[in-house]
Amino acid sequence: MENVDFRRDLDEALAKLESHLETPVVPGELATWFDNVCVAFAAVKEPLQQHIQLEHPPVYKQIKRDADNLYTRVEQLQQEDLALLDEYERLNRCSEQICKLAPQAEPNEARFDEHRRTAVTEGLAFVLRVRMQERAVETWLQESLMRDNGESGGG
């Protein structure tokens, strides 16, 4: 059951990132806060890629096989997968840049407050977006399995 491991690893990585993003910054600890967020964000990469690249394709194939009228939905899911990978890379580059600059924040951490707020807002939005995509994949898979495609069962 590798896909269960992919999902569990992704869920754990997202939960850890979310936790770090939601943790308030203690004065004098901004650089440490950014380091924790950067490490947690980097830990999302592998399970996200594995989940999207290894688990989603067979699910999409099954949806199209079981309910070919959901082809457009599958295309939308595939586009969102690619968009999530692109968004991850963009956010990762931003977080790496901030982590390099964060040690310079002390003693005036207030000048980095906008960067911290942006990291929190965009990071939490990303976590939510990944979770929404996973819910959408599950929903359309279930719909494909239960949908009446107009085929007559005979009789």
Side-chain angles (χ1 to χ4, degrees):
M1 292 280 176
E2 284 184 30
N3 59 354
V4 174
D5 291 338
F6 292 157
R7 179 63 187 263
R8 186 188 67 236
D9 292 348
L10 180 59
D11 288 343
E12 288 173 2
L14 291 172
K16 189 174 284 188
L17 174 61
E18 182 179 40
S19 176
H20 284 297
L21 288 166
E22 292 172 341
T23 301
V25 177
V26 174
E29 297 294 325
L30 182 64
T32 301
W33 184 89
F34 272 115
D35 284 343
N36 289 338
V37 168
C38 287
V39 168
F41 200 76
V44 169
K45 183 177 186 171
E46 186 176 337
L48 178 67
Q49 286 179 331
Q50 288 177 334
H51 198 67
I52 287 174
Q53 295 171 350
L54 300 177
E55 183 175 329
H56 285 183
V59 171
Y60 298 154
K61 187 176 181 179
Q62 181 176 350
I63 292 170
K64 288 190 280 188
R65 184 182 64 237
D66 292 343
D68 63 352
N69 54 343
L70 293 177
Y71 185 82
T72 302
R73 295 289 183 188
V74 171
E75 285 183 332
Q76 292 169 345
L77 292 170
Q78 291 170 321
Q79 289 171 1
E80 180 64 3
D81 280 350
L82 295 175
L84 283 170
L85 292 173
D86 288 345
E87 181 68 358
Y88 173 85
E89 290 302 328
R90 184 189 73 77
L91 291 172
N92 192 48
R93 283 191 303 276
C94 290
S95 70
E96 288 173 349
Q97 290 172 349
I98 293 296
C99 284
K100 289 177 186 173
L101 297 174
Q104 302 169 17
E106 293 178 27
N108 185 9
E109 292 180 342
R111 64 188 175 140
F112 274 79
D113 200 43
E114 184 63 32
H115 294 296
R116 185 195 56 78
R117 282 196 304 269
T118 299
V120 169
T121 301
E122 291 184 358
L124 291 175
F126 178 77
V127 169
L128 181 60
R129 189 173 169 189
V130 172
R131 288 179 176 154
M132 288 175 65
Q133 173 72 350
E134 291 312 302
R135 182 66 57 144
V137 170
E138 292 168 5
T139 299
W140 290 115
L141 175 61
Q142 289 302 315
E143 179 65 16
S144 74
L145 296 172
M146 300 176 73
R147 184 169 274 221
D148 178 3
N149 291 311
E151 297 175 8
S152 176

